Amino acid sequence: MARVPVQFRLNGEDRAEFVESGTTLLHALRDTMGDISPKGGCHQGTCGACSVIVDGELRLSCLTLAESCEGAAIETTAGLGRDGVLYPVQRAILDGFATQCGFCTPGMVMAAKALLDHTPNPTREDVIEAISGNICRCTGYEPIINAVLAAARSNSQNAG
Amino acid sequence: MSLALTTFPSAKEVSAALKQGGARYLGGGTLVVRAVNEGDIATSAYVRTNDPAMSGIDVSDGRVRIGASVTMAAIARCEDLGMIRPAAKAVGGPAIRNMATVGGNLFAAAPYGDFAVALLALDATVHCAGGDMDIDGFLASRDDLTERGIVIAVSFKIPEAGSFRFLKVSRVKPKGVSVLSLAAVIDTGANGNVSAARIALGCMADRPMRAVSAEKALSGAKLTKDGITEAVSVIGSGTEPLTDAIASAWYRSEVLPVHFGRLLLD
Ligand SMILES: Cc1cc2nc3c(=O)[nH]c(=O)nc-3n(C[C@H](O)[C@H](O)[C@H](O)COP(=O)(O)OP(=O)(O)OC[C@H]3O[C@@H](n4cnc5c(N)ncnc54)[C@H](O)[C@@H]3O)c2cc1C
Ligand code: FES
Ligand code: FES
């Protein structure tokens, strides 16, 4: 299979890679670029475990071709929580016991980040809507929703 | 295994490339890439175009033109398209809406195609590389791209305020797949009676369909519980509803009249 050059910014760092033409972003990130934070669950767009943010928008990396991200800014959970300080949603998920096996957690965190980046003070309905494409099969959704709301509150307290 | 992707500069060139067979046009990829991930062997390569005619929303002279590559999220954000926002927001969860295009939705087999149901009620024109088609004709022959080429855009006349109605029925909120979806443009005269109605149904066949009998029955009727009785009684005429993991054909037939009544009266 032909390999094609792709350049994008991954978590703030310029990357120039050769990927197989037609390969998914999920595959490129995990198998070529060493970022294993997006998880491959269903590869059908239904579980949301592979969610990443591309140019500010939440996307499913299992259904996105790596080549279509040429020149884009990609954010994954691996880029959050630098220097030992967790991103507020990550902190709130730990504090609120909102993770069990953890498989859905990176996708949930990115869905929550996409929401909070645009809507810093979301309602409960906003949070439910924002994570509606993400399946969690063990924690249940209530602790996750509460964690996202708690993170939003802590963000606005810090800002204020 | 991945399939090679080739990008063409224009809709005409990518349409020509599709005549070779095996290659599949890639819109947002939510159905195409999913099928390949699932082992679809009918697809041997992806093709796409970055033709600027396929992106962008244009509202002028009472008509809307939406490029085929425009996503559901972009439509939902567009200030000028507030009246069809519910149909765009009905498609999947947030990530799907950021990827799912208008062009792709026209080809989505039931139980998908919620936005196409709205376009059918709106009497949209489908602009293809090989010429324009009305949406009824387009949907009837949508599986054959060879003659008319890819979809470049859709356009429709902006309906009178309050005349467009849309309802998606699903069991899981907020992003469940459709049990069925309904869209209608209903105009009323000065006396309050229906002067014209176009009604479209999703999941009641393999693709969006018109409810012609109900449209006729509604003509001249009042939008009251009594006035709509006949239209409600014939809404299921000619339908061949789907049986799938979401609902059985029987269930869809049973609940269609109930939701149609709500669409008209709520
Ligand atoms: C988890 C999940 C949930 C979903 N939920 C919904 C839902 O609630 N409602 C709904 O309606 N749909 C839903 N879908 C289906 C799908 O996301 C949408 O129908 C979407 O609009 C398809 O657009 P796309 O651009 O992603 O299509 P693609 O996957 O890129 O293409 C779909 C088909 O259309 C063809 N095509 C695409 N663009 C063009 C064009 N311009 N010209 C000619 N052919 C073209 C492709 O070759 C392919 O055959 C869902 C999908 C997933 C994976
Ligand atoms: S792996 Fe992408 S949505 Fe499940
Ligand atoms: S914590 Fe296990 S799937 Fe969500």
Side-chain angles (χ1 to χ4, degrees):
Chain A
M1 182 59 65
R3 287 167 79 78
V4 288
V6 185
Q7 294 190 37
F8 45 72
R9 258 180 111 67
L10 176 61
N11 296 322
E13 197 185 308
D14 285 326
R15 302 288 294 251
E17 304 286 336
F18 281 94
V19 298
E20 264 185 31
S21 183
T23 203
T24 63
L25 179 61
L26 175 65
H27 191 68
L29 286 170
R30 289 184 61 88
D31 298 346
T32 311
M33 303 178 66
D35 182 348
I36 56 164
S37 63
K39 306 295 175 213
C42 64
H43 301 270
Q44 292 180 16
T46 39
C47 75
C50 67
S51 301
V52 299
I53 294 177
V54 179
D55 285 339
E57 286 193 338
L58 191 71
R59 279 178 183 243
L60 301 166
S61 62
C62 71
L63 301 181
T64 301
L65 298 193
E67 286 155 282
S68 67
C69 298
E70 175 68 35
I74 298 170
E75 298 168 73
T76 71
T77 320
L80 303 175
R82 294 257 164 108
D83 304 323
V85 181
L86 291 179
Y87 173 68
V89 174
Q90 293 173 306
R91 179 80 263 159
I93 280 177
L94 280 181
D95 291 347
F97 303 101
T99 182
Q100 286 190 42
C101 78
F103 197 80
C104 70
T105 311
M108 288 287 183
V109 170
M110 296 321 286
K113 183 173 193 299
L115 169 71
L116 298 183
D117 285 351
H118 296 113
T119 312
N121 295 305
T123 63
R124 194 176 177 77
E125 282 62 42
D126 292 336
V127 177
I128 292 170
E129 167 73 35
I131 63 164
S132 62
N134 296 68
I135 292 174
C136 174
R137 70 176 298 279
C138 37
T139 303
Y141 298 97
E142 283 299 310
I144 298 172
I145 295 164
N146 290 338
V148 179
L149 288 168
R153 278 196 301 274
S154 79
N155 277 347
S156 63
Q157 273 160 14
N158 292 343
Chain B
M1 203 198 71
S2 56
L3 304 173
L5 167 70
T6 311
T7 306
F8 292 84
S10 74
K12 284 243 178 320
E13 283 159 90
V14 80
S15 299
L18 276 167
K19 288 191 179 154
Q20 318 286 302
R24 192 127 181 245
Y25 187 79
L26 180 75
T30 57
L31 293 172
V32 172
V33 180
R34 177 163 80 163
V36 170
N37 287 350
E38 283 174 346
D40 167 27
I41 50 164
T43 303
S44 58
Y46 300 119
V47 292
R48 66 171 178 179
T49 174
N50 41 24
D51 193 329
M54 292 173 62
S55 46
I57 299 171
D58 179 56
V59 184
S60 55
D61 299 331
R63 271 191 90 79
V64 180
R65 184 182 168 106
I66 307 174
S69 305
V70 173
T71 62
M72 295 298 144
I75 294 171
R77 272 195 305 266
C78 181
E79 294 286 327
D80 293 326
L81 297 183
M83 52 106 199
I84 52 164
R85 187 168 296 144
K89 285 200 77 173
V91 175
I96 290 285
R97 288 197 291 279
N98 288 335
M99 301 169 72
T101 67
V102 173
N105 203 264
L106 284 172
F107 292 88
Y112 297 140
D114 295 318
F115 197 78
V117 173
L119 290 174
L120 180 58
L122 288 160
D123 197 10
T125 301
V126 184
H127 305 274
C128 301
D132 296 350
M133 292 182 83
D134 65 61
I135 190 162
D136 302 69
F138 173 87
L139 287 170
S141 64
R142 73 176 174 188
D143 304 321
D144 182 18
L145 285 182
T146 45
E147 282 311 309
R148 56 163 195 261
I150 66 158
V151 176
I152 296 173
V154 296
S155 68
F156 55 87
K157 186 168 148 279
I158 300 173
E160 295 284 315
S163 65
F164 176 73
R165 294 151 193 248
F166 179 84
L167 180 64
K168 170 169 170 171
V169 182
S170 64
R171 300 197 198 197
V172 180
K173 301 280 185 319
K175 78 133 221 181
V177 175
S178 286
V179 168
L180 55 95
S181 52
L182 304 114
V185 176
I186 297 180
D187 296 321
T188 45
N191 57 3
N193 294 359
V194 174
S195 54
R198 253 184 93 93
I199 302 162
L201 307 175
C203 299
M204 300 312 286
D206 68 339
R207 63 196 71 198
M209 64 172 285
R210 292 267 300 282
V212 181
S213 305
E215 288 173 0
K216 281 197 189 118
L218 218 49
S219 173
K222 279 219 176 321
L223 290 180
T224 59
K225 199 164 180 294
D226 288 341
I228 65 167
T229 313
E230 198 196 332
V232 169
S233 71
V234 296
I235 186 68
S237 306
T239 58
E240 286 180 49
L242 213 62
T243 289
D244 59 16
I246 312 295
S248 65
W250 172 84
Y251 181 77
R252 286 187 160 108
S253 300
E254 288 295 307
V255 298
L256 173 65
V258 178
H259 292 292
F260 180 54
R262 286 180 193 162
L263 180 83
L264 295 178
L265 297 181
D266 281 357

